[in-house]
Amino acid sequence: MRTRVSKYSIYFLLNACFLFFLVGSVLAQGTTIKVKLDQPGKSVSPLIYGQFIEFLGRCIDGGIYDEESALSDEAGFRKDVLERVRDLNVPIVRFPGGTVVKIYHWKDGIGKKEDRPKRSNLIWGGEMDNHFGTAEFVQYCRKIGAEPFLVVNMSSDSPGDASDWVEYCNGTGDTYWANLRRSHGYKEPFNVKYWGIGNEEYAEPDAGKHQDVKKYIDDSWLFVKLMKLQDPSIKITLVGNQENLAWSRQVLKEMHPVCDFLAVHFYSIPSDDSYETLLQSVDAFNANLDTMRNLLNEIPDKVTDFSSWYRFPPRANRVQLAIDEWGIWDIHSKKGKGDYQMEYPYNWGQALAVGKFLNMFQRNADIIGLATWAQMVNVLAPITTTADGAYCQTVYTPLHAYRKYSQRNNVSVEVQCAEGLATEKMLDVVASVSDNEDELVVSVINLSGEKTIKANLFPELLSSAQRMEILSQIIYRAASIDLENTPNKNVVEEEIISKFKKSGSGFEVIVKPASINFFVFRRLK
């Protein structure tokens, strides 16, 4: 649902704007940031701050779950990891994959742990003892306050298996799988709302069998039917492909009545290890989102003439994107460890790129319904474990801060600067406002590793009856974009400024190099 913001505008004029080198030389002036609160706002789904876990390396076993560690609780969950995940305030977690879902059998992961079969991980190597299964995943989600998001195996399991999984999780009747869940100690249903039908089924090298979009559609229909007949309220995510528009268009054309989300994956995989190339790789996804918006606009907002003989209702809302895998995959890193060298440190420049991603998600709030960072622990992750403890990578900072400070409704921002300067490319800016319009947050990333922006920041309101005051500027930065966190040192500095020098009718502010900033405003009563 879109939220409409009141008919007034706030202009943040960055007058007499000076760009400084670190030594302080003046570059230019005249940059302006305009926040258009007089236009309808886009409601930002809280689910865009989700996470993803998979049986890949030490993400689950040896990451969030370790029965042998003295740092784990009685359920086997690493308490140090749990603490950091809770601080992220994660709204949704996707499991069990990912590519591994093609060989994952959910029935291996229920009941007494000692009775669960151990399987070879044919996708990523190693073995899965299945001690972390459905109940453990749901329990973990409850501990961190997140919605569980389950993906079904449509390659080596059947539609009936998927239907059984829904019954096991959500069944309330006197039926086999619901009673089996109860016998395992879970009287109340898990009420898993979000379900995905396969993962990247178009990928020919994977173990799946649905590279032909027609086969994917034909088989997915039966999965959806049997799952929805178990629980008509579940939300379905179908496989899309941002690189193959024909695939996505065909899936939506034939299955949009039962498609709540269309999955796409956004991995930034730069062609080299330079900071500039990294930023360009993130920017490239803007074109993907524009293309996907045009595609979604081809689909009716509401489903009509849906046969009652399906015995379950169609989707109730507009189809949105599920960016259910996204992140930065630094294939050039020479520091990678673990399986596929996917455990490596992130530097502060990569954290700035994560901020760019989150700004992009806010701007496209009209089409993005959920997003899950891949992955949560150890593998391409914001959290890393050792035998002695856990620590946060630099990319943890933007994931945490945007979830903490961003408001519910995105509003348009226009950045202008002095002629001949590319300040727009240095500044990545979004703004969001609360539902009651009492609080406004302007999120500003200075992508330059060298240049400081000095500005006058002030609200100019069309209505003299309305006033806003600046409460604080929260600044996150590191001394260099190349710096990385270690188990013993956090290179990210946090600074909070609550006093601002008046400058005319506004405030004089500083946007430091390579920084993520949140300017918090409150409406005066």
Side-chain angles (χ1 to χ4, degrees):
M1 182 179 71
R2 298 187 179 187
T3 301
R4 189 170 184 84
V5 184
S6 64
K7 296 275 187 175
Y8 60 85
S9 292
I10 296 180
Y11 294 92
F12 288 99
L13 301 180
L14 295 153
N15 293 327
C17 174
F18 298 94
L19 300 181
F20 286 82
F21 287 107
L22 290 179
V23 295
S25 58
V26 177
L27 297 179
Q29 59 181 338
T31 299
T32 302
I33 298 176
K34 182 188 295 184
V35 181
K36 301 180 178 179
L37 284 177
D38 59 334
Q39 297 182 5
K42 303 173 185 176
S43 180
V44 180
S45 169
L47 299 181
I48 68 172
Y49 303 105
Q51 294 284 324
F52 166 48
I53 58 175
E54 181 177 5
F55 290 106
L56 196 174
R58 297 192 311 126
C59 178
I60 295 176
D61 295 324
I64 71 171
Y65 186 78
D66 191 343
E67 294 173 291
E68 305 301 321
S69 174
L71 300 174
S72 297
D73 62 18
E74 65 281 357
F77 302 139
R78 282 276 297 252
K79 291 182 287 187
D80 51 348
V81 175
L82 186 62
E83 178 184 358
R84 287 159 178 79
V85 175
R86 278 177 172 154
D87 285 345
L88 278 177
N89 195 15
V90 179
I92 189 169
V93 181
R94 181 177 182 249
F95 168 82
T99 307
V100 81
V101 77
K102 300 177 193 303
I103 54 96
Y104 179 78
H105 307 290
W106 75 268
K107 293 173 183 177
D108 291 343
I110 60 174
K112 294 180 179 179
K113 293 181 182 180
E114 60 267 25
D115 295 336
R116 299 180 188 181
K118 181 181 286 188
R119 306 285 189 189
S120 294
N121 188 333
L122 300 177
I123 301 299
W124 299 114
E127 297 173 340
M128 299 181 294
D129 64 15
N130 286 298
H131 286 192
F132 186 92
T134 299
E136 289 75 26
F137 170 63
V138 172
Q139 183 182 4
Y140 197 83
C141 287
R142 300 303 181 230
K143 281 180 174 289
I144 64 175
E147 291 284 347
F149 175 12
L150 291 173
V151 183
V152 303
N153 174 359
M154 65 180 306
S155 300
S156 54
D157 273 355
S158 69
D161 290 318
S163 177
D164 293 343
W165 202 5
V166 176
E167 182 187 325
Y168 183 85
C169 290
N170 297 356
T172 59
D174 184 19
T175 55
Y176 177 80
W177 291 105
N179 285 333
L180 187 63
R181 182 198 69 239
R182 295 184 184 105
S183 74
H184 292 158
Y186 305 98
K187 180 180 179 181
E188 299 301 322
F190 295 149
N191 293 323
V192 178
K193 181 178 181 180
Y194 298 94
W195 296 81
I197 312 299
N199 174 81
E200 295 183 0
E201 299 302 323
Y202 48 81
E204 188 276 331
D206 286 349
K209 58 185 179 182
H210 293 92
Q211 291 81 34
D212 184 328
V213 67
K214 186 178 186 306
K215 181 170 180 56
Y216 175 74
I217 291 169
D218 288 346
D219 287 359
S220 291
W221 261 113
L222 185 53
F223 275 83
V224 172
K225 287 175 183 177
L226 294 186
M227 293 168 69
K228 283 272 196 177
L229 288 170
Q230 287 286 2
D231 183 350
S233 70
I234 62 175
K235 301 293 185 181
I236 297 294
T237 297
L238 297 176
V239 173
N241 186 346
Q242 73 278 3
E243 296 178 354
N244 184 344
L245 194 62
W247 170 288
S248 296
R249 175 175 279 112
Q250 196 68 19
V251 170
L252 286 176
K253 178 181 178 182
E254 300 194 30
M255 298 196 69
H256 79 82
V258 294
C259 178
D260 296 286
F261 304 98
L262 185 72
V264 293
H265 293 170
F266 283 6
Y267 285 107
S268 169
I269 307 178
S271 57
D272 58 44
D273 60 359
S274 71
Y275 176 59
E276 292 75 15
T277 302
L278 170 65
L279 298 182
Q280 291 168 6
S281 72
V282 178
D283 280 334
F285 289 111
N286 283 297
N288 291 123
L289 288 170
D290 288 341
T291 299
M292 297 308 295
R293 175 179 282 101
N294 291 336
L295 180 59
L296 292 176
N297 285 339
E298 298 175 9
I299 304 303
D301 288 350
K302 296 291 184 180
V303 179
T304 57
D305 300 323
F306 190 74
S307 173
S308 61
W309 289 106
Y310 280 108
R311 299 176 177 85
F312 56 82
R315 62 175 169 85
N317 301 308
R318 178 170 194 233
V319 180
Q320 291 186 300
L321 295 181
I323 307 177
D324 55 14
E325 291 186 31
W326 73 278
I328 297 174
W329 195 335
D330 184 4
I331 62 174
H332 302 284
S333 174
K334 296 180 174 57
K335 301 178 182 179
K337 299 178 182 179
D339 295 335
Y340 293 84
Q341 293 75 54
M342 294 169 73
E343 292 189 37
Y344 50 75
Y346 284 109
N347 62 35
W348 180 241
Q350 290 164 324
L352 294 172
V354 170
K356 276 184 68 68
F357 261 121
L358 293 171
N359 279 0
M360 184 191 306
F361 292 170
Q362 279 199 30
R363 289 190 196 99
N364 292 277
D366 58 321
I367 60 170
I368 300 177
L370 67 86
T372 53
W373 170 279
Q375 295 185 15
M376 190 159 70
V377 183
N378 287 327
V379 177
L380 308 176
I383 301 169
T384 297
T385 66
T386 67
D388 302 320
Y391 67 98
C392 298
Q393 297 258 27
T394 58
V395 295
Y396 184 98
T397 295
L399 292 170
H400 174 267
Y402 273 83
R403 175 69 167 145
K404 180 177 181 179
Y405 293 111
S406 296
Q407 296 296 316
R408 191 66 176 84
N409 307 287
N410 180 71
V411 287
S412 298
V413 177
E414 180 183 338
V415 180
Q416 298 175 338
C417 66
E419 185 176 355
L421 286 176
T423 310
E424 298 100 327
K425 296 185 182 299
M426 295 179 193
L427 294 180
D428 195 306
V429 186
V430 295
S432 57
V433 68
S434 60
D435 280 337
N436 61 9
E437 303 171 16
D438 282 345
E439 189 165 346
L440 172 72
V441 175
V442 184
S443 309
V444 181
I445 306 174
N446 185 351
L447 296 167
S448 171
E450 298 178 338
K451 300 176 178 64
T452 297
I453 298 175
K454 182 178 180 182
N456 290 331
L457 176 64
F458 64 93
E460 181 180 285
L461 301 172
L462 295 180
S463 170
S464 60
Q466 304 290 341
R467 290 289 184 269
M468 278 197 170
E469 63 175 345
I470 186 168
L471 296 182
S472 59
Q473 175 189 2
I474 301 98
I475 307 167
Y476 298 96
R477 68 184 304 267
S480 167
I481 62 172
D482 298 320
L483 291 180
E484 305 162 350
N485 285 350
T486 68
N488 301 314
K489 184 178 181 181
N490 179 12
V491 302
V492 183
E493 304 168 359
E494 179 180 358
E495 180 183 2
I496 300 178
I497 298 174
S498 56
K499 294 183 178 180
F500 299 88
K501 182 180 179 181
K502 292 287 291 184
S503 178
S505 60
F507 304 92
E508 185 177 283
V509 298
I510 301 293
V511 184
K512 296 180 179 180
S515 66
I516 300 174
N517 304 262
F518 298 91
F519 293 95
V520 179
F521 286 80
R522 180 180 62 192
R523 180 187 295 183
L524 292 171
K525 300 298 183 181

